[in-house]
């Protein structure tokens, strides 16, 4: 007679037990499933791309139309085409991405200065001329009292 199947492992009592079991199971010989694999396993299977798939998921059909993916072409094929083009461009000029990033980095401080209206390191605060708290040694205490009383505009 065949041996009886082993009893299923009892459910872990807490998250630590669950983590320990997962850690013991996840070894180089048995790596944990990737998040993408877990997600794919939870999704319903789609038999074939095409009009029926587009009709089943109007959001995907709208995305495909916006991305220029022809009806009847799978999104996966379009993604692979994009990845292939990216790798071809990267192989042709490996420094292109770094050059693009460097151009962004070179203009970042100037763009930030334009956005803020001052330099990013300029921390000098200009007090209003009619500030009644300027020079008052109790200014912080008074602000806290205003804040506690709910007079936020007076506190700041």
């Amino acid at each position: 007679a065949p041996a009886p199947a082993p009893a299923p492992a009892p459910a872990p009592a807490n998250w630590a037990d669950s983590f320990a079991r997962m850690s013991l199971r996840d070894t180089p010989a048995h790596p944990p499933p990737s998040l993408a694999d877990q997600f794919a396993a939870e999704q319903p299977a789609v038999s074939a791309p095409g009009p029926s798939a587009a009709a089943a998921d109007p959001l995907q059909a709208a995305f495909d139309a916006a991305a220029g993916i022809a009806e009847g072409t799978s999104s996966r094929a379009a993604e692979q085409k994009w990845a292939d083009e990216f790798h071809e461009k990267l192989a042709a000029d490996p420094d292109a991405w770094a050059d693009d990033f460097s151009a962004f980095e070179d203009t970042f401080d100037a763009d930030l200065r334009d956005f803020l209206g001052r330099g990013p390191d300029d921390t000098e605060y200009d007090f209003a001329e009619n500030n009644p708290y300027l020079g008052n040694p109790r200014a912080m205490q008074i602000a806290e009292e205003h804040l506690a009383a709910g007079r936020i505009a007076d506190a700041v």
Side-chain angles (χ1 to χ4, degrees), residues 138-150:
R138 293 186 55 241
M140 185 66 174
Q141 182 183 359
I142 294 169
E144 289 173 347
E145 290 169 2
H146 286 307
L147 190 60

Side-chain angles (χ1 to χ4, degrees), residues 10-109:
N14 60 36
W15 68 268
D17 292 339
S18 176
F19 179 78
R21 284 190 184 158
M22 288 173 54
S23 296
L24 291 173
R25 183 187 66 212
D26 300 338
T27 64
H30 303 290
S34 72
L35 290 177
D37 292 338
Q38 291 176 14
F39 179 79
E42 294 171 1
Q43 300 307 305
V46 176
S47 59
S52 61
D57 189 354
L59 183 61
Q60 183 66 46
F63 174 79
D64 291 349
I69 300 170
E71 190 170 333
T73 302
S74 73
S75 297
R76 184 76 177 135
E79 292 166 7
Q80 187 60 47
K81 180 181 175 192
W82 179 89
D84 292 344
E85 289 175 10
F86 177 80
H87 284 289
E88 286 172 14
K89 289 179 182 178
L90 187 62
D93 186 5
D95 297 326
W97 185 87
D99 294 341
D100 290 345
F101 183 75
S102 178
F104 164 75
E105 193 174 38
D106 292 343
T107 63
F108 181 78
D109 284 339

